[in-house]
Amino acid sequence: MIYLDNAATSLHKPEGVVLAAADAICRLGNAGRGVHEATLAAARVVFDARDKLATLFHVGDPTRVCMMFNATDALNTAIGGLICPGDHVVTTAQEHNSVLRPLYRAQQQGAQLTIVPMDRKTGRVSEADILAAIRPDTRAVVCAHASNVTGNVLDIETIGTFCREHGILFIVDAAQTAGTFPIDMQQMGISVLCAPGHKGLLAPQGTGVLCAAEGVEITPMRVGGSGVHSFSHTHPTDYPTALEAGTLNTPGIAGLSAALDFIQRKGVETIHAEEIALARQFYKQISLLDGVTIYGDWSTDHRAAIVTLNLEGWDAGELSDVLMQEYDICTRAGAHCAPLVHKTFGTQAGGAVRFSFSCFNTEDEALAAARAVAELAQEGD
């Protein structure tokens, strides 16, 4: 099987991730719920992961790194806990529903929302247009670092620097870039960074992270057990406990910690270079085909390793099914939870087929996928 659906979740993990998660299931207790060895060992694992994430993303204080269950959980927490009725928020048309739906809900509750459009040809969102949409009453800019459909990357440092200079919150969805692009929260002016563990961070599903800059106080979406202040009617306000109600996914976090060791050893820049080389090789082969439409800006390698396409004569869903059934190639067809992207491209009726690469893929796999597309393009003629 050739797995090219890494934008949805990483399938191939470093060996240490599997071993760490299995060990945690067998050995660890509940972090923060006692002082016996099993719970103290769990607390150490969670702290180690928190500390590694703080280093990777240049958070500063590890206690500002909060463990979530996925990027959607993190984004809901950030948006729901920071945006109030009357606030103005700027976002973009390239967003995943993990950003759009919490913002639509905030809009229904009285917030004001401006959505910056995409270029219909390249799918790019202009950073200048984002900054131009900011008003005196703007509370926050919320955007994806990279589109999960086009792979296009925003210059978040330019946006974040402007936001910091003007006292505006900058919430970044790093679902497609965490672990594969350098991210420096302090340098880039990021107020809140939200990321899943199970994609570029190569961790198990059910893990995610919310990193909050100093001074950013988020009203928690979940309250309940915390292991401390049990007689208080209100949830603790100290980070990270403020945003970590209930039992954490300790086996997943143990796997995440091991994955972070792998990423640190290999290097984020090296991982991205390997992934984009594979995506570029695949792109070069299929871009020569008649009847293929490829979405996104391929004039640069500063992009996520995502190639999304349609073939003339093929329904996207049918194409993805045939790739699996006849070629053993895993892809993702449909709207990719990014409705405004497909409305921009006019593909909302059938969607498109997405190929997304990992550093665990190979050159042979990229070429095999290209050959499969070429054969199916001839069939569609």
Side-chain angles (χ1 to χ4, degrees):
M1 184 180 72
I2 299 175
Y3 185 81
L4 297 177
D5 194 19
N6 293 281
T9 194
S10 58
L11 178 66
H12 304 297
K13 314 286 188 186
E15 182 181 5
V17 172
V18 179
L19 296 175
D23 177 69
I25 291 172
C26 297
R27 186 175 62 86
L28 299 186
N30 196 339
R33 271 70 170 180
V35 292
H36 54 78
E37 178 53 33
T39 196
L40 292 175
R44 286 191 286 270
V45 166
V46 172
F47 177 81
D48 284 347
R50 210 187 299 281
D51 194 47
K52 292 169 188 175
L53 288 162
T55 299
L56 179 65
F57 298 131
H58 300 266
V59 180
D61 181 359
T63 67
R64 306 294 293 185
V65 177
C66 304
M67 297 300 179
M68 299 280 117
F69 300 117
N70 44 56
T72 299
D73 184 34
L75 287 161
N76 271 266
T77 299
I79 294 168
L82 289 170
I83 307 304
C84 300
D87 288 342
H88 175 245
V89 182
V90 176
T91 191
T92 82
Q94 78 168 11
E95 305 308 316
H96 189 278
N97 274 333
S98 295
V99 168
L100 291 175
R101 285 176 173 164
L103 287 177
Y104 290 148
R105 182 170 62 182
Q107 188 178 37
Q108 292 171 351
Q109 295 169 347
Q112 300 176 61
L113 183 61
T114 297
I115 301 176
V116 177
M118 299 165 50
D119 179 81
R120 292 183 179 275
K121 183 177 180 181
T122 65
R124 294 207 66 86
V125 177
S126 164
E127 291 84 2
D129 288 348
I130 293 173
L131 300 184
I134 292 173
R135 311 186 320 210
D137 62 340
T138 298
R139 166 74 166 159
V141 174
V142 187
C143 65
H145 190 184
S147 166
N148 72 316
V149 179
T150 67
N152 292 345
V153 172
L154 279 173
D155 181 356
I156 57 174
E157 185 169 355
T158 293
I159 301 167
T161 299
F162 183 93
C163 288
R164 179 168 51 197
E165 291 173 350
H166 293 82
I168 298 166
L169 293 168
F170 185 36
I171 302 171
V172 174
D173 172 9
Q176 299 301 330
T177 57
T180 58
F181 279 74
I183 298 175
D184 186 326
M185 283 188 64
Q186 297 181 60
Q187 180 177 323
M188 294 174 169
I190 299 171
S191 306
V192 183
L193 182 73
C194 301
H198 66 98
K199 298 186 183 185
L201 290 176
L202 302 174
Q205 295 175 7
T207 57
V209 59
L210 183 157
C211 303
E214 290 288 345
V216 177
E217 301 303 324
I218 301 170
T219 302
M221 299 293 287
R222 289 181 274 107
V223 296
S226 61
V228 295
H229 306 312
S230 294
F231 290 97
S232 173
H233 289 200
T234 58
H235 195 73
T237 57
D238 293 335
Y239 278 66
T241 309
L243 302 183
E244 291 183 349
T247 296
L248 298 175
N249 176 9
T250 309
I253 294 169
L256 171 60
S257 185
L260 292 165
D261 290 338
F262 171 85
I263 291 168
Q264 192 277 327
R265 289 194 302 269
K266 191 172 182 68
V268 170
E269 292 86 352
T270 299
I271 291 172
H272 178 257
E274 291 180 1
E275 292 183 354
I276 199 63
L278 293 169
R280 173 67 71 177
Q281 189 170 41
F282 174 71
Y283 168 80
K284 283 183 177 179
Q285 297 293 321
I286 65 168
S287 63
L288 303 175
L289 301 174
D290 292 333
V292 64
T293 301
I294 303 172
Y295 305 98
D297 181 6
W298 280 90
S299 67
T300 175
D301 281 345
H302 185 63
R303 53 173 291 109
I306 292 170
V307 186
T308 302
L309 60 86
N310 272 309
L311 284 184
E312 187 176 344
W314 283 93
D315 171 78
E318 183 183 9
L319 177 60
S320 185
D321 285 346
V322 171
L323 284 166
M324 181 68 253
Q325 293 165 10
E326 297 185 10
Y327 297 91
D328 246 9
I329 298 172
C330 302
T331 60
R332 167 75 192 279
H336 312 96
C337 302
L340 301 184
V341 174
H342 288 281
K343 286 182 179 179
T344 299
F345 290 137
T347 53
Q348 62 266 44
V353 181
R354 182 182 67 192
F355 299 72
S356 46
F357 295 81
S358 158
C359 63
F360 288 102
N361 289 124
T362 67
E363 182 179 341
D364 286 344
E365 289 177 332
L367 292 174
R371 287 194 299 269
V373 172
E375 289 178 13
L376 295 173
Q378 290 181 339
E379 289 184 23
D381 289 343

